[in-house]
Amino acid sequence: MNSEIDPTISVHGLWKVYGPNPEKIVGSADAFLPRAELREKTGCTVAVRDVSFDVSDGEVFVVMGLSGSGKSTLVRCLTRLVEPTAGEVWLEGEDIRAASTQRLRELRRSRFSMVFQHFGLLPHRRVTDNVAYGLEINGMSKSARYERAMEVISLVGLEGNENNYPSELSGGMQQRVGLARALASDPDVMFFDEPFSALDPLIRRDMQQEVIRLHHEVKKTMVFITHDLAEALKLGDRIAIMRDGALVQVGTPEELVATPADDYVANFVRDFPKSHILTLRWIARDPTSGEDLGGPILAPTVIVRDAARQILEAGRPVRVMDGERLLGVVTADEILSVIAGPHHG
Amino acid sequence: MANATLVHEEIIAPRTPKSLLGAKFAVLGVIWLSSALILRGNSTLPLDRSSLTSVHTWLSGLSSAIDRNRNSNPFFVNTIDKIRSSINTFVNLLQDAISQGTATRSVPQIGWLGVVAIIGLVVALWASIRVAILAVAGFITLGLLGLWQESMDTLALTLAAVVLSLLIGIPFGVLAGLFPKFEKLITPVLDFAQVMPTFVYLTPVTLFFLIGPASATIVTLIYSIPPALRITAVAIREVPWSTVEASISMGSTRWQALRKVQLPQAKRTIVVGINQTIMAALSMVTIAALIDAPGLGRVVVQALETLNVGRSFQAGLAIVIMAVVLDRSTTAAAAKVQIATSHKKPVSRRVTRSTKWLGLAITLVAIYLSNVYLWASQFPGAGLLGIKVAAIADSATGWIQLHLVTVTNGLTNIFSYGLINPIQSVLVDAPWYTTAAALVLTGYLLKGTRLAAVVAICIAILLVSGLWSDSMVTLAATLVAALITVVLGIAVGTWVGRSMRVDRILRPILDAGQVMPAFVYLVPFLGLFGATRFTAIMAAVVYASPAAIKLVADGIRSVPESITEAAISAGSNTWQLITKVQLPSARRAIALAINQGLIYVLAMVVVGGLVGAGGLGYLVVAGFAQENLKGKGLAAGVAIVMLGIMIDRITQAVADRRDVHAKTIR
Ligand SMILES: Nc1ncnc2c1ncn2[C@@H]1O[C@H](COP(=O)(O)OP(=O)(O)O)[C@@H](O)[C@H]1O
Ligand SMILES: [Mg+2]
């Protein structure tokens, strides 16, 4: 990962304050008051508070937080669907906040696209015309845009439905149309604002699978908003946890599960089975002197759940080796403390 | 997946694709237009203004027969006359109280001072002190305009009609709210009453109830009962069923649930209905002047008929003042009820008990004074303000006719030669059978044989009425006015719908425009454009626009945020957003705006018969005035009804059809 060198998305000190005189709040002591107190005092709401992060090319960056924590506002600030109050947003080396309305429209038509929670499909247009909408307003000829629309329609598995109206489709299929529409202009970056929250759990799982598949096929950079931890862990290369407008922790799924930064994050991950996320790297410990170092060898990237049976049945410490290097050993104790919680007393 | 596809095919199959339907209409239009032009002048069924057909003479004979048998026919003696005399008694009672002298007195029981005091007290108690001041000032202005008695006549008639409307409308509305079957039964009747241009039921009602307060009240009821009934039904239905269920589960009877659960919750909506009923009644009471109802309307009619612009302004202003006072007072009262039932903090200070007693005492003293002393009974002064208003209006008209004549004539000519004449000449000069065939086919294409049959029946009746040519004149004026209204509605409606700021500024004006009695719109245009078709058309546009604008604006506003946001995010510019997203998504609202625009416009174009618009409206007016044209006037009324039904059914079908594609996703 070389995100420090050339990030696709780079956000520095981003703020969004709703209310009268929002600029006054930015950076002031007031900004750190609890929300209700600040609203009482100034009538303002800090929706995004001093947020900075980078996303590298081809990465799936997930932003997670409770409802009202500012996720939607944050993702809209990135494309200026919501005008930020302060801070910098760079997309592919271009200063988004300095872009003219005209330039912004060009970028929206060609470089990035968004998938919405409530789909936002045009009810009076058939699937094809919904998918082709962005190409149409960009002046593409009818035959060219229909051809492209059919490509993405089959990419998301909607063949045969291209002549239906949105109201004739199920929720899951409607969101496939939303996905196809976002893919149609072949953007570099895709934004998702809780795209699957309105769907039934089973359909949601299908759609998550679909996004993973698409990501493999089209390799877009993605910023994905969700309030669902399982979804975040499943899709995210890195996850940012948001609380009251600020990022409290940014890290890989393993980092979040293994070392939650505070109680808020710990609360999120508490009920999630750690063994499904953690790899052996996180639980390997230094061998104690005289320990048996002749046990089986496993790679540090193996997930605990997948290694559990082998380690429990090994009867002696399993070595975690990164190539030739010994990172540590794992025994039944470590496995059990991941699965059932640490020893007490 | 296979299953799902199957279902979708079932949904799609019976639908004609939109573009195909559009193409069919284009072909139909071209065929109609070319055959109309090729065959122009053939079979146009013209009829001179003074000529009568046998149907007209038969109708005249029928009306005379009704007149002759009035005193012997038991149905008339036992039913119609009973209704007539009780309504007359009721209205006379109110008139004796506030507007006219009785056998024993030359002045009403309560003079101006008493009336003003009562209005002030009632509005202060039920609405607010601020509105009460407005009401008192408004009523005093009525006196200063020199139209006190006429205003009181209008008020008395309006009050009588409102009381009866509510007595009938609320109970039936409750029934309609409780029993969907009953509602289904009466909905067509209500639709019919509301779609009909008010003008047309005047003559038939006088046929049965004679000229006088009873007829004026009954025509008003036809117009003002539907809103009272409909809103009551909605109010009852809005009450969450769970609350009724809870009440019944605790052992209350259905009647108790209605009284203690549904009615109290429905109250705030019903109060809004009272406001609409009052405004509808006032509007109709002024039009009832055409069948000799006393009051402000009569002054306007007389002034319009003699083209006395000054006088019509004077009375028009009085009607506007009356409308504003009644509307503001009832709106404020409704707001107060809503606040009281929603347990929010009251916005205005509460009137203390002692102030209430003081107000009551002052009012009683004022009533007493106005009963005993002439100065408090008859409004003092000679209505100098009214004379001044008339003079200003006259001189303004004179000035316009002197200096702006090129502008007004230019406008008249542009519209006449550019729009009205071509449309009118095509419609009037086309052979009746081509137009009839085109209309029936339109009905068929939109909704199959049923609508085609309705249209065919309407056309048959038009033909029997012998007034085909006049109907085409009216239709042309209606189409022109509707076209302008719809263009205006879409342009301004989009503007209002997209901007909260514009909305805040324009909406009160639109609201005010909607509550004005239709009549007064003729007045300023008469001053500008004289007695022409164009005056009627412009008045119709102004009358119909507020409704059209509001429908479009609400349609635009109700496009879900998620849809516009997605379109903006795809890079739409403002124009693309409006034309590709907002207007298409609001197409049902636009179709309804076209429907409403046409209905409103037809009503007003017909009233324009008073000021030289010609066509069917003129014939109705002539029928009021001349005994030998009575039958023809009745036939013209029937023809107007047929036009109204055709226009309404066809545009409704368009609205329903577009709805198929415009199901909003949530
Ligand atoms: N247009 C707005 N005006 C005022 N406050 C807003 C607006 N949009 C969002 N907020 C506030 O900003 C905060 C963050 O909202 P949002 O970004 O929608 O959160 P999330 O998507 O995480 O649920 C919330 O407290 C919300 O009330
Ligand atoms: Mg959100």
Side-chain angles (χ1 to χ4, degrees):
Chain A
M1 224 182 350
N2 56 353
S3 62
E4 282 81 15
I5 300 163
D6 187 17
T8 301
I9 303 174
S10 182
V11 177
H12 296 295
L14 189 69
W15 289 78
K16 175 65 194 181
V17 182
Y18 288 110
N21 296 321
E23 309 81 18
K24 289 217 177 104
I25 308 291
V26 173
S28 73
D30 280 351
F32 297 90
L33 287 174
R35 279 217 173 129
E37 222 169 285
L38 179 70
R39 184 154 41 234
E40 191 69 20
K41 190 172 161 192
T42 64
C44 289
T45 307
V46 180
V48 173
R49 179 195 297 153
D50 199 12
V51 166
S52 306
F53 62 87
D54 288 343
V55 181
S56 55
D57 188 32
E59 186 178 10
V60 180
F61 186 79
V62 173
V63 180
M64 197 184 92
L66 297 178
S67 160
S69 58
K71 310 177 296 291
S72 294
T73 308
L74 172 62
V75 74
R76 280 166 178 72
C77 281
L78 303 185
T79 60
R80 280 180 53 196
L81 281 177
V82 163
E83 203 60 53
T85 310
E88 291 174 35
V89 179
W90 296 78
L91 281 157
E92 303 190 305
E94 180 159 355
D95 184 356
I96 292 296
R97 292 213 57 202
S100 68
T101 321
Q102 181 59 36
R103 176 69 189 143
L104 206 53
R105 271 205 294 272
E106 282 167 29
L107 291 171
R108 286 175 186 162
R109 287 174 184 182
S110 56
R111 306 284 280 283
F112 35 86
S113 64
M114 188 151 167
V115 181
F116 296 87
Q117 178 175 7
H118 299 293
F119 319 147
L121 301 179
L122 298 171
H124 59 280
R125 287 172 169 240
R126 296 166 193 275
V127 167
T128 336
D129 285 310
N130 261 292
V131 173
Y133 178 80
L135 309 173
E136 177 184 336
I137 60 173
N138 206 8
M140 191 186 273
S141 77
K142 199 164 183 166
S143 57
R145 66 176 191 255
Y146 277 2
E147 194 178 320
R148 173 66 187 153
M150 282 313 298
E151 270 172 49
V152 277
I153 284 172
S154 56
L155 188 63
V156 300
L158 272 177
E159 295 117 319
N161 293 296
E162 57 272 6
N163 284 325
N164 288 49
Y165 286 91
S167 56
E168 296 164 345
L169 302 177
S170 67
M173 284 163 93
Q174 288 187 29
Q175 194 56 298
R176 279 174 202 264
V177 180
L179 259 177
R181 177 178 61 187
L183 285 165
S185 60
D186 195 19
D188 302 337
V189 183
M190 293 177 77
F191 299 98
F192 296 78
D193 185 15
E194 301 203 24
F196 309 141
S197 298
L199 304 180
D200 293 336
L202 283 180
I203 298 173
R204 194 183 311 166
R205 222 166 52 197
D206 283 351
M207 295 300 290
Q208 288 161 357
Q209 230 38 65
E210 192 73 27
V211 167
I212 292 172
R213 182 177 70 81
L214 283 173
H215 186 245
H216 278 296
E217 283 181 30
V218 296
K219 311 251 178 331
K220 308 278 180 210
T221 307
M222 295 180 175
V223 176
F224 196 104
I225 309 292
T226 179
H227 66 247
D228 174 3
L229 179 74
E231 188 166 273
L233 296 172
K234 194 162 172 183
L235 299 177
D237 291 326
R238 279 187 309 145
I239 299 170
I241 306 274
M242 206 169 178
R243 176 196 194 175
D244 288 352
L247 295 189
V248 287
Q249 188 173 8
V250 182
T252 62
E254 293 170 71
E255 283 168 345
L256 292 187
V257 172
T259 55
D262 63 7
D263 288 349
Y264 181 77
V265 183
N267 249 329
F268 261 121
V269 298
R270 170 174 303 150
D271 294 328
F272 194 85
K274 288 192 173 71
S275 57
H276 293 200
I277 290 294
L278 289 186
T279 55
L280 296 183
R281 179 198 305 281
W282 289 96
I283 58 170
R285 57 166 171 76
D286 293 336
T288 49
S289 54
E291 206 164 14
D292 175 5
L293 286 180
I297 297 173
L298 283 173
T301 52
V302 177
I303 292 174
V304 171
R305 182 182 54 178
D306 301 338
R309 178 169 296 277
Q310 196 181 349
I311 293 168
L312 291 178
E313 286 170 354
R316 52 183 184 163
V318 171
R319 287 176 291 163
V320 179
M321 304 275 290
D322 185 8
E324 290 301 304
R325 203 159 60 87
L326 177 70
L327 296 182
V329 295
V330 181
T331 64
D333 260 358
E334 278 79 32
I335 296 293
L336 286 175
S337 72
V338 169
I339 292 172
H343 269 298
H344 290 290
Chain B
M1 192 73 173
N3 245 342
T5 325
L6 206 72
V7 171
H8 297 146
E9 272 164 10
E10 275 166 17
I11 298 171
I12 306 163
R15 195 179 55 203
T16 320
K18 196 174 49 182
S19 48
L20 196 56
L21 192 70
K24 282 184 184 169
F25 274 118
V27 171
L28 180 62
V30 169
I31 292 176
W32 171 73
L33 193 62
S34 45
S35 61
L37 291 177
I38 293 166
L39 297 170
R40 67 182 286 138
N42 288 318
S43 310
T44 57
L45 310 181
L47 187 70
D48 281 351
R49 278 200 167 170
S50 51
S51 309
L52 301 177
T53 68
S54 54
V55 173
H56 303 159
T57 355
W58 179 75
L59 280 170
S60 287
L62 185 71
S63 94
S64 324
I66 292 178
D67 263 345
R68 270 198 311 280
N69 292 323
R70 183 176 303 284
N71 294 324
S72 52
N73 185 313
F75 174 66
F76 271 95
V77 175
N78 293 332
T79 316
I80 300 281
D81 283 356
K82 290 264 161 60
I83 296 176
R84 178 166 59 96
S85 60
S86 20
I87 295 180
N88 276 345
T89 314
F90 181 44
V91 175
N92 279 330
L93 203 73
L94 288 171
Q95 280 182 302
D96 290 349
I98 60 173
S99 79
Q100 66 185 16
T102 60
T104 51
R105 301 166 51 99
S106 63
V107 290
Q109 297 292 341
I110 306 173
W112 72 270
L113 189 65
V115 172
V116 167
I118 293 172
I119 291 287
L121 181 72
V122 167
V123 177
L125 290 182
W126 285 356
S128 74
I129 304 262
R130 255 188 37 213
V131 182
I133 294 170
L134 172 86
V136 166
F139 267 59
I140 289 177
T141 315
L142 294 177
L144 294 176
L145 283 170
L147 293 167
W148 180 261
Q149 190 184 341
E150 289 83 353
S151 305
M152 288 309 105
D153 279 329
T154 296
L155 186 64
L157 270 176
T158 308
L159 276 182
V162 167
V163 168
L164 293 176
S165 299
L166 297 180
L167 278 180
I168 300 168
I170 291 182
F172 279 99
V174 170
L175 285 180
L178 293 177
F179 305 108
K181 274 201 189 126
F182 177 63
E183 177 163 43
K184 230 173 153 175
L185 197 72
I186 58 168
T187 299
V189 182
L190 299 180
D191 283 346
F192 186 73
Q194 286 192 304
V195 164
M196 280 317 92
T198 48
F199 220 47
V200 304
Y201 30 81
L202 299 180
T203 319
V205 169
T206 55
L207 217 54
F208 289 92
F209 294 94
L210 297 177
I211 292 231
S215 284
T217 309
I218 287 172
V219 294
T220 307
L221 289 182
I222 296 177
Y223 192 58
S224 60
I225 288 176
L229 198 159
R230 283 207 150 121
I231 295 178
T232 305
V234 169
I236 292 287
R237 220 172 322 110
E238 266 176 4
V239 174
W241 182 245
S242 56
T243 60
V244 180
E245 233 173 9
S247 150
I248 289 174
S249 82
M250 286 183 287
S252 69
T253 63
R254 194 65 195 79
W255 172 242
Q256 284 171 323
L258 175 66
R259 260 188 48 225
K260 294 187 186 298
V261 178
Q262 284 172 294
L263 281 179
Q265 290 186 75
K267 192 167 144 199
R268 41 199 285 193
T269 309
I270 294 178
V271 176
V272 175
I274 294 177
N275 167 273
Q276 293 204 7
T277 307
I278 291 177
M279 301 325 289
L282 177 62
S283 175
M284 196 60 199
V285 159
T286 54
I287 289 184
L290 288 167
I291 49 170
D292 232 18
L296 295 167
R298 190 190 276 173
V299 182
V300 177
V301 171
Q302 283 166 356
L304 288 178
E305 280 172 349
T306 53
L307 302 182
N308 182 342
V309 174
R311 182 83 175 146
S312 68
F313 252 94
Q314 187 185 347
L317 182 61
I319 294 176
V320 170
I321 291 172
M322 181 80 89
V324 169
V325 167
L326 293 182
D327 180 49
R328 286 295 96 202
S329 308
T330 45
T331 306
K336 194 164 162 176
V337 170
Q338 306 219 329
I339 287 165
T341 50
S342 66
H343 308 291
K344 280 195 198 126
K345 276 182 277 181
V347 273
S348 58
R349 275 172 294 127
R350 296 197 55 155
V351 184
T352 62
R353 180 166 293 213
S354 54
T355 329
K356 278 184 193 167
W357 284 113
L358 184 66
L360 187 62
I362 293 175
T363 307
L364 286 175
V365 170
I367 292 173
Y368 173 77
L369 291 176
S370 75
N371 183 273
V372 174
Y373 296 100
L374 203 56
W375 62 265
S377 176
Q378 288 185 317
F379 202 90
L384 282 180
L385 182 63
I387 295 168
K388 210 168 197 164
V389 166
I392 293 174
D394 273 332
S395 61
T397 315
W399 187 87
I400 287 168
Q401 279 166 1
L402 202 64
H403 295 93
L404 290 184
V405 70
T406 41
V407 178
T408 54
N409 276 359
L411 266 179
T412 314
N413 288 339
I414 289 172
F415 276 98
S416 293
Y417 293 110
L419 204 57
I420 309 173
N421 286 353
I423 293 183
Q424 181 168 327
S425 91
V426 171
L427 279 171
V428 171
D429 291 342
W432 69 268
Y433 47 83
T434 55
T435 307
L439 286 171
V440 173
L441 266 173
T442 304
Y444 179 75
L445 289 180
L446 281 171
K447 260 207 163 147
T449 41
R450 262 192 62 182
L451 185 55
V454 171
V455 173
I457 292 170
C458 289
I459 288 174
I461 297 176
L462 274 186
L463 290 170
V464 170
S465 79
L467 299 172
W468 177 264
S469 184
D470 287 292
S471 303
M472 290 303 109
V473 171
T474 297
L475 183 60
T478 306
L479 290 180
V480 170
L483 185 69
I484 304 174
T485 303
V486 167
V487 169
L488 209 66
I490 290 178
V492 181
T494 306
W495 193 39
V496 172
R498 287 174 49 84
S499 157
M500 266 339 253
R501 204 164 45 92
V502 176
D503 188 276
R504 261 198 305 280
I505 297 167
L506 282 190
R507 193 158 295 250
I509 301 173
L510 297 175
D511 287 345
Q514 265 191 314
V515 300
M516 283 311 136
F519 236 32
V520 301
Y521 289 110
L522 283 175
V523 172
F525 289 101
L526 185 65
L528 279 173
F529 301 108
T532 60
R533 243 176 353 180
F534 190 59
T535 293
I537 288 178
M538 289 320 285
V541 168
V542 174
Y543 174 61
S545 292
I549 292 172
K550 276 163 88 170
L551 275 169
V552 173
D554 292 344
I556 296 262
R557 178 131 331 126
S558 67
V559 176
E561 168 86 27
S562 62
I563 291 179
T564 46
E565 189 178 40
I568 293 171
S569 152
S572 314
N573 60 31
T574 307
W575 179 248
Q576 289 168 331
L577 191 65
I578 293 173
T579 55
K580 289 179 188 285
V581 179
Q582 291 177 315
L583 285 178
S585 303
R587 61 205 304 165
R588 173 152 167 82
I590 292 170
L592 281 179
I594 294 173
N595 173 269
Q596 292 287 298
L598 275 161
I599 297 297
Y600 273 61
V601 157
L602 175 65
M604 196 64 197
V605 162
V606 172
V607 176
L610 274 179
V611 295
L616 298 171
Y618 168 81
L619 295 176
V620 174
V621 177
F624 296 143
Q626 286 164 268
E627 191 57 36
N628 64 324
L629 291 182
K630 199 162 187 181
K632 197 173 182 184
L634 279 170
V638 172
I640 293 169
V641 173
M642 293 308 123
L643 278 184
I645 294 178
M646 270 198 296
I647 288 173
D648 181 54
R649 289 295 98 198
I650 289 178
T651 48
Q652 280 286 358
V654 173
D656 291 350
R657 188 153 192 108
R658 294 193 162 180
D659 193 23
V660 174
H661 304 302
K663 274 181 207 144
T664 315
I665 311 155
R666 302 213 178 271

